[in-house]
Amino acid sequence: MRVCSTGNPFVRGNVPYTEGSAKSNLIFNTGVTFALHSPGSMAKLKGRKKPSAVLGNKFFDYRVALQSELSYKGDKFEPRIFVISKFRIFLLNGKSPSSLKIDKSFHILNVKSLSALKDDEVSALVEEAGHKKRYVIKSPQATALALIKHILGAFLRYFPDIGNAHYSSTSVSGPQLRSTIELTPEHLYDDFSTMNEDVAAKACHSFRRTYAALCDYYDQPYREEVSWASLLDVEKIYAVNRVRWLRIDDFSHLLPKDLIPITGVLQYSSYFTGLVADGIRMTSEVIDVIMAVIRKSRHLQVLQLRNCALPR
């Protein structure tokens, strides 16, 4: 159990929650009067609203919630609430906590670059529907570097191997972070390698967390039976026996689309050094993910695909 404590007015401080629980007592605002900036006036508002009512049941808890301002072109700023919940960033709009709605939402893997423009301004390049859009975000509650590190903290929890020396026995994890997201100033890459996770790691380099994040990224359902059955096999059998080759055959009872996020984990994991499949009919989507693993993984040493009806 972890205690979330923060000084900003949108987060209830010192509220315990258990990771993975279906419910949370965390709420936006505690009912205490707070202020939101609005064009031409300062409105004092009261209210309370559970995060799940705004973000959806999947995002019942959140890591960061900050009063902020958003600009699409770098000149005119509009008031927003900047939220990081699990592996997604939300920009919320509303005149009161009870009227908050999602203005923008994107997966952290869709963030292609983060740059500190000024002490309090961050430029974010985000890939949306095949196009890249740039946003400028600033917050009176966090410096530009602090805001960037909040986002990097989400990367660390769900993709710990891409730049974290804790799991890597070599120095090759840094370049993968560079190929995943462009950071300015340059020292942020070194800062990431020394950051500490705020929760205990799961087995196989937090395989389960990376799987959950990729279910959202690939727009595939997160299946409890996968988590509590197949993934527990991964965490217990694979970890205890130090098995480093992921066998897709172990998941042959699942639907083909369920293999997409499971296989995709190898793009970002240094735990698995091999990918093996025998007698599994591969869909084009799974093949695309395997090709991405080949391109992105710096730890894959073995790839064996037998009798998989691969296209010529």
Side-chain angles (χ1 to χ4, degrees):
M1 181 172 289
R2 183 168 67 89
V3 174
C4 177
S5 178
T6 177
N8 80 68
F10 300 102
V11 181
R12 184 176 181 178
N14 300 319
V15 180
Y17 71 91
T18 303
E19 185 186 47
S21 170
K23 297 181 180 179
S24 173
N25 292 323
L26 291 174
I27 56 176
F28 286 103
N29 189 29
T30 61
V32 179
T33 301
F34 66 96
L36 274 176
H37 290 286
S38 60
S41 66
M42 177 77 76
K44 289 188 175 181
L45 307 165
K46 290 185 178 181
R48 54 195 293 148
K49 196 162 189 176
K50 293 182 179 179
S52 60
V54 180
L55 309 180
N57 289 330
K58 183 165 60 174
F59 299 95
F60 59 86
D61 65 344
Y62 54 94
R63 302 170 56 83
V64 177
L66 298 172
Q67 179 183 341
S68 64
E69 293 181 80
L70 173 69
S71 173
Y72 297 100
K73 296 183 179 180
D75 48 5
K76 182 181 179 181
F77 284 87
E78 300 175 353
R80 293 291 187 273
I81 297 177
F82 175 88
V83 176
I84 301 175
S85 181
K86 296 187 177 180
F87 32 76
R88 269 196 172 269
I89 296 172
F90 296 86
L91 294 169
L92 307 181
N93 190 17
K95 295 183 178 180
S96 69
S98 60
S99 66
L100 289 176
K101 294 183 179 180
I102 298 174
D103 178 37
K104 295 288 182 181
S105 170
F106 36 83
H107 196 284
I108 56 175
L109 288 178
N110 288 123
V111 181
K112 299 306 178 183
S113 76
L114 292 169
S115 303
L117 299 180
K118 301 177 181 178
D119 289 343
D120 64 343
E121 289 187 9
V122 174
S123 172
L125 185 65
V126 180
E127 190 174 73
E128 298 180 87
H131 301 281
K132 293 181 180 179
K133 297 182 180 180
R134 189 172 298 278
Y135 302 99
V136 178
I137 305 167
K138 62 181 180 180
S139 171
Q141 297 173 312
T143 64
L145 290 179
L147 194 64
I148 292 175
K149 288 183 179 180
H150 281 314
I151 298 174
L152 292 180
F155 273 98
L156 180 60
R157 174 182 282 199
Y158 292 97
F159 305 97
D161 288 2
I162 63 173
N164 186 9
H166 293 308
Y167 287 144
S168 180
S169 59
T170 69
S171 60
V172 298
S173 57
Q176 184 166 14
L177 178 63
R178 292 175 183 272
S179 65
T180 302
I181 184 170
E182 181 181 346
L183 300 175
T184 305
E186 183 79 8
H187 69 74
L188 286 167
Y189 292 107
D190 294 329
D191 293 348
F192 184 86
S193 66
T194 60
M195 290 173 65
N196 294 316
E197 292 186 71
D198 57 356
V199 292
K202 296 290 186 180
C204 301
H205 297 191
S206 294
F207 179 94
R208 192 191 309 185
R209 290 197 187 112
T210 305
Y211 162 74
L214 290 180
C215 282
D216 184 77
Y217 180 70
Y218 288 116
D219 195 23
Q220 297 297 327
Y222 177 86
R223 301 193 182 281
E224 290 294 336
E225 64 268 25
V226 175
S227 176
W228 292 107
S230 299
L231 293 190
L232 283 180
D233 288 342
V234 169
E235 294 179 349
K236 291 182 178 179
I237 299 175
Y238 279 57
V240 170
N241 295 286
R242 297 184 179 181
V243 176
R244 296 298 182 110
W245 292 9
L246 183 70
R247 296 188 61 89
I248 299 181
D249 315 32
D250 293 339
F251 309 95
S252 60
H253 60 288
L254 301 175
L255 295 174
K257 65 180 181 180
D258 291 326
L259 300 178
I260 295 174
I262 293 174
T263 305
V265 170
L266 273 68
Q267 297 173 77
Y268 307 99
S269 175
S270 66
Y271 180 86
F272 292 99
T273 59
L275 178 62
V276 179
D278 191 350
I280 301 296
R281 188 174 184 84
M282 299 285 186
T283 64
S284 59
E285 291 82 4
V286 174
I287 293 173
D288 288 343
V289 173
I290 292 176
M291 295 303 295
V293 170
I294 295 172
R295 290 194 306 270
K296 295 181 180 180
S297 174
R298 285 172 164 77
H299 303 276
L300 187 70
Q301 300 173 9
V302 176
L303 176 63
Q304 296 180 1
L305 305 177
R306 303 189 187 96
N307 305 316
C308 293
L310 297 175
R312 293 183 180 274

